[in-house]
């Protein structure tokens, strides 16, 4: 017999799990479906297995608007802030710690403890969890949604699609949700890679592998027009560039990659103007006149 729910949530990652917790706490009969054999598989990889849950920076408008889609985030953080998240976990028995960069981790530095806590809260709130079940279709009949998995059919008044993006598909996020949402008439903005390294086509880059630059300024240009700028660390790799400044810039680059030529420019000394830099270089060259330029720059 088909099972009836008030809310069926597709995807048991952090988004789906929290959606299930809050719906059930509002008295709804909730079911959570995930194709993996456990909830929050991707979360286990986060923060290099330690899970960087949030940070304790003040989430004011100025801070949030630095991020892409900042307006949307302001509303989201207004409803459930980083402080709310911190308290949520601590009140549910997970001890947290804040590092010097204001990043929040579980005290155990083990992402599994975060997943266990989420699972415990889901169970305490009597969320019906179906694991190893893939949702293969959703349709609407009158006022109900019919959700078909590879094992059963569920009927629900509401459906939440929380199937994640498309990164790390081996954790389950293969893009099914985009197909479901599109079939119901939602406009889908094509997902692009973000928070990733950038491949560079020029061969010389391979010779720079392993070089790590600190406190540099990286700018990205599309057809010579600046599309983004970041300060921080850049790491040269066998395929191109990576490191925090590049990861932060990668979303802008992905969005524009098919629109023309992308150039990345690195200012090694962003704190110096051209005149001071010129004077310094002249001085260095004079003081090291017996060295080749290559060796001079190495130091
Ligand atoms: C390497 C790495 C490190 C990261 N580090 C951090 C970090 O330190 N801090 C941080 O905040 N974020 C981090 N993130 C990002 C974070 O993991 C994601 O933002 C988060 O997992 C997104 O949650 P979600 O619930 O939207 O999607 P997901 O976690 O992707 O969950 C989606 C779920 O939907 C399920 N699903 C998909 N299709 C179906 C279907 N048809 N039927 C049933 N189930 C389905 C999947 O199995 C999956 O479990 C990191 C990500 C990666 C890849």
């Amino acid at each position: 017999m088909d099972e009836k729910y008030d809310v069926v949530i597709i995807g048991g990652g952090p988004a789906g799990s929290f959606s299930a917790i809050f719906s059930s706490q509002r008295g709804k009969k909730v079911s959570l479906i995930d194709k993996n054999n456990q909830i929050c598989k991707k979360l286990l990889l986060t923060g290099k297995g330690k899970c960087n849950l949030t940070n304790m920076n003040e989430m004011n408008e100025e801070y949030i608007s630095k991020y892409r889609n900042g307006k949307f985030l302001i509303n989201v953080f207004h409803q459930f802030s980083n402080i709310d998240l911190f308290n949520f976990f601590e009140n549910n028995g997970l001890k947290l710690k804040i590092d010097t960069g204001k990043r929040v981790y579980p005290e155990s530095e083990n992402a599994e403890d975060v997943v266990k806590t989420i699972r415990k809260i889901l169970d305490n709130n009597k969320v019906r969890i179906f694991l190893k079940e893939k949702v293969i279709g959703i349709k609407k009949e009158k006022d109900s949604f019919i959700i078909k998995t590879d094992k059963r059919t569920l009927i629900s008044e509401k459906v939440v699609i929380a199937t994640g993006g498309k990164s790390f598909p081996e954790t389950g996020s293969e893009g099914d949700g985009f197909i479901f949402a599109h079939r119901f008439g939602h406009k889908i903005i094509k997902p692009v890679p973000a928070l990733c390294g950038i491949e560079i086509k020029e061969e010389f880059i391979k010779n720079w592998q392993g070089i790590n630059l600190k406190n540099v300024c990286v700018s990205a240009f599309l057809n010579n027009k600046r599309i983004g700028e970041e300060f921080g660390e850049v790491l040269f790799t066998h395929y191109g560039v990576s490191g925090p400044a590049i990861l932060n810039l990668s979303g802008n680059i992905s969005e524009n990659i098919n629109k023309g030529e992308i150039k990345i420019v690195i200012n090694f000394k962003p704190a110096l103007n051209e005149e001071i830099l010129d004077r310094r270089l002249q001085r260095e060259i004079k003081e090291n006149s017996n060295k080749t330029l290559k060796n001079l720059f190495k130091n």
Side-chain angles (χ1 to χ4, degrees):
M1 208 175 74
D2 297 342
E3 296 169 55
K4 281 194 176 160
Y5 292 89
D6 297 319
V7 186
V8 164
I9 294 153
I10 308 169
S17 298
F18 270 70
S19 176
I21 290 167
F22 289 118
S23 302
S24 59
Q25 285 178 346
R26 283 171 175 76
K28 303 291 178 195
K29 187 180 174 199
V30 181
S31 155
L32 180 68
I33 311 169
D34 201 291
K35 58 168 103 152
N36 290 325
N37 59 0
Q38 65 172 122
I39 59 157
C40 297
K41 196 167 172 191
K42 187 178 283 171
L43 194 149
L44 291 173
L45 306 177
T46 62
K48 297 190 179 135
K50 296 195 292 184
C51 187
N52 173 201
L53 279 163
T54 183
N55 70 63
M56 293 311 266
N57 285 305
E58 198 191 330
M59 296 288 165
N60 55 30
E61 285 199 16
E62 194 196 335
Y63 182 81
I64 296 173
S65 59
K66 281 194 299 194
Y67 292 90
R68 284 186 305 147
N69 219 352
K71 262 194 193 155
F72 169 76
L73 292 176
I74 288 168
N75 187 20
V76 171
F77 280 112
H78 188 69
Q79 292 183 47
F80 193 77
S81 70
N82 50 340
I83 314 283
D84 293 330
L85 187 85
F86 190 99
N87 292 337
F88 176 87
F89 277 109
E90 288 242 314
N91 292 340
N92 280 289
L94 183 72
K95 288 256 163 297
L96 302 177
K97 65 172 191 182
I98 305 168
D99 77 1
T100 47
K102 294 193 177 174
R103 286 175 289 253
V104 177
Y105 294 92
E107 205 173 73
S108 63
E109 297 196 343
N110 188 349
E112 260 181 48
D113 291 334
V114 179
V115 177
K116 276 186 199 153
T117 306
I118 295 173
R119 176 72 209 225
K120 184 185 80 185
I121 307 167
L122 286 165
D123 291 340
N124 288 347
N125 283 285
K126 306 217 164 14
V127 173
R128 181 80 168 93
I129 301 174
F130 297 107
L131 295 174
K132 292 200 254 177
E133 281 202 43
K134 181 180 160 109
V135 172
I136 49 176
I138 316 169
K139 61 179 178 178
K140 185 138 196 223
E141 276 180 12
K142 292 188 189 138
D143 289 337
S144 299
F145 289 96
I146 317 288
I147 300 103
K148 215 170 156 27
T149 78
D150 48 7
K151 295 202 179 112
R152 75 193 79 226
T153 302
L154 308 179
I155 300 172
S156 181
E157 198 186 313
K158 306 257 189 260
V159 173
V160 176
I161 300 173
T163 46
K166 281 183 108 174
S167 71
F168 284 66
E170 62 276 20
T171 62
S173 51
E174 295 171 295
D176 299 356
F178 297 115
I179 299 167
F180 299 143
H182 187 250
R183 280 190 196 141
F184 276 95
H186 289 283
K187 184 179 163 214
I188 307 297
I189 298 171
K190 193 171 175 272
V192 293
L195 294 176
C196 56
I198 307 285
E199 284 179 19
I200 304 284
K201 66 174 186 232
E202 278 77 9
E203 282 291 314
F204 74 85
I205 212 84
K206 292 197 173 80
N207 301 330
W208 295 11
Q209 184 177 344
I211 294 176
N212 198 9
L213 303 171
K214 292 201 168 125
N215 302 320
V216 295
C217 173
V218 201
S219 308
F221 293 85
L222 166 69
N223 300 331
N224 295 321
K225 192 169 166 248
R226 194 189 303 267
I227 52 167
E229 186 171 83
E230 288 288 335
F231 289 85
E233 223 171 303
V234 171
L235 173 70
F236 288 88
T237 69
H238 61 286
Y239 60 80
V241 280
S242 186
I246 296 292
L247 299 192
N248 289 338
L249 207 54
S250 59
N252 284 13
I253 293 176
S254 292
E255 275 175 0
N256 289 291
I257 200 111
N258 293 322
K259 295 184 189 162
E261 190 192 41
I262 302 275
K263 250 189 217 161
I264 292 177
V265 174
I266 302 177
N267 182 349
F268 290 12
K269 290 279 176 202
L272 305 181
N273 66 28
E274 215 169 295
E275 200 189 321
I276 299 176
L277 182 63
D278 188 55
R279 249 188 279 141
R280 277 223 191 152
L281 284 175
Q282 303 270 7
R283 193 188 64 209
E284 290 281 333
I285 291 169
K286 247 188 218 153
E287 286 173 5
N288 297 283
S289 54
N290 56 339
K291 284 188 184 161
T292 61
L293 266 183
K294 190 178 168 188
N295 282 333
L296 181 69
F297 282 114
K298 230 183 197 172
N299 297 326

